[in-house]
Amino acid sequence: MKKSHVSAKKKKTVSSHFNSSFFERDALVKGISFRNKAFGWKKYSFVLTLSKTVATGDKKIVSSSCIFYDNAYMQAFLANFSLRPSCYNCPAKAGKSGSDIMIGDFWGINNIMPDFDDDRGCSLVILNSNRGEAVFSRLNINYKKVLYAEVVSNNSNIEVSVTEPPYRKLFMILFSRFGFKMAHRVLFSKNIIYKVLRCIWLQTCKMP
């Protein structure tokens, strides 16, 4: 089943990133695609549709995009810095949500079923009950069955929560006090000063 990705992200972090990156350029965000697949799923892009006021006073719709690994917000998100606190201790793991159907990204499909991987993204559907199976059987979609063990081997977060990074608290402190740009700079910069600051932070956290 081909997918449309929707993910719960830290709202304040996203807003701060947009404010610092685009609003200062007299541009308003009209649309967001966190994982745009114009260049394929393996090189998905972070795309913003912007309404920008030009010199004549007219509004011009433009798009701003970059590959996910070059985007500051996606770097923080994929490093697990900007997740909600509940993501590090999710009570709904391992089928405990009580849902009839679970839907998510099928990571690792290129390893399990390479013939089904078209680099456009694929959804993983897990049926937890007879009612879920009955609903799914009525859908007219292209799908293949796969062993649960194979799925979990490439998607461990189905059963276990993501680990909270040691720098996550530092990221959130910097973000709340100085905004997204500074938090990202301190956590991702290769500058020796920021590297030292990060080391000091870790040592301080280890102190009784």
Side-chain angles (χ1 to χ4, degrees):
M1 182 169 68
K2 300 311 167 190
K3 60 178 289 301
S4 176
H5 185 277
V6 178
S7 181
K9 294 179 170 62
K10 194 75 174 179
K11 186 176 180 180
K12 287 179 64 178
T13 314
V14 177
S15 298
S16 176
H17 173 51
F18 291 162
N19 284 332
S20 61
S21 300
F22 296 101
F23 291 172
E24 64 190 22
R25 305 178 195 175
D26 296 323
L28 297 177
V29 178
K30 305 294 288 185
I32 308 168
S33 178
F34 286 98
R35 285 177 170 162
N36 185 281
K37 296 177 288 187
F39 299 106
W41 177 241
K42 296 179 181 66
K43 287 189 176 182
Y44 62 84
S45 302
F46 183 94
V47 180
L48 297 179
T49 302
L50 308 170
S51 175
K52 186 175 180 63
T53 302
V54 295
T56 60
D58 296 327
K59 291 186 180 298
K60 182 180 180 181
I61 302 300
V62 297
S63 291
S64 174
S65 68
C66 64
I67 302 299
F68 70 94
Y69 48 72
D70 289 330
N71 180 266
Y73 176 76
M74 290 305 293
Q75 289 172 359
F77 175 68
L78 295 174
N80 298 327
F81 291 142
S82 59
L83 304 183
R84 296 179 182 275
S86 58
C87 292
Y88 306 114
N89 188 26
C90 179
K93 296 293 182 180
K96 297 176 183 176
S97 66
S99 66
D100 298 303
I101 298 176
M102 293 169 54
I103 301 176
D105 299 319
F106 199 154
W107 297 107
I109 189 173
N110 54 306
N111 299 320
I112 300 173
M113 293 186 293
D115 60 313
F116 205 62
D117 176 26
D118 61 0
D119 196 29
R120 300 299 298 170
C122 184
S123 288
L124 170 66
V125 179
I126 299 177
L127 307 176
N128 295 325
S129 67
N130 291 333
R131 182 163 58 179
E133 292 181 4
V135 170
F136 186 79
S137 67
R138 296 197 293 268
L139 302 178
N140 182 23
I141 58 176
N142 182 23
Y143 73 92
K144 286 187 177 182
K145 293 184 178 180
V146 63
L147 295 175
Y148 181 75
E150 289 185 300
V151 171
V152 173
S153 68
N154 289 268
N155 299 268
S156 60
N157 286 337
I158 293 175
E159 297 198 340
V160 296
S161 297
V162 63
T163 300
E164 182 174 356
Y167 293 119
R168 197 260 180 183
K169 186 176 181 180
L170 174 61
F171 177 86
M172 297 309 297
I173 290 174
L174 292 169
F175 165 68
S176 63
R177 294 183 181 179
F178 306 106
F180 179 84
K181 270 190 173 181
M182 178 58 72
H184 179 272
R185 184 182 305 155
V186 173
L187 269 297
F188 289 89
S189 175
K190 296 181 180 179
N191 185 289
I192 186 63
I193 295 176
Y194 294 122
K195 287 183 177 181
V196 171
L197 286 175
R198 294 195 293 266
C199 289
I200 293 174
W201 168 262
L202 281 184
Q203 293 303 316
T204 301
C205 291
K206 294 178 182 179
M207 294 175 62

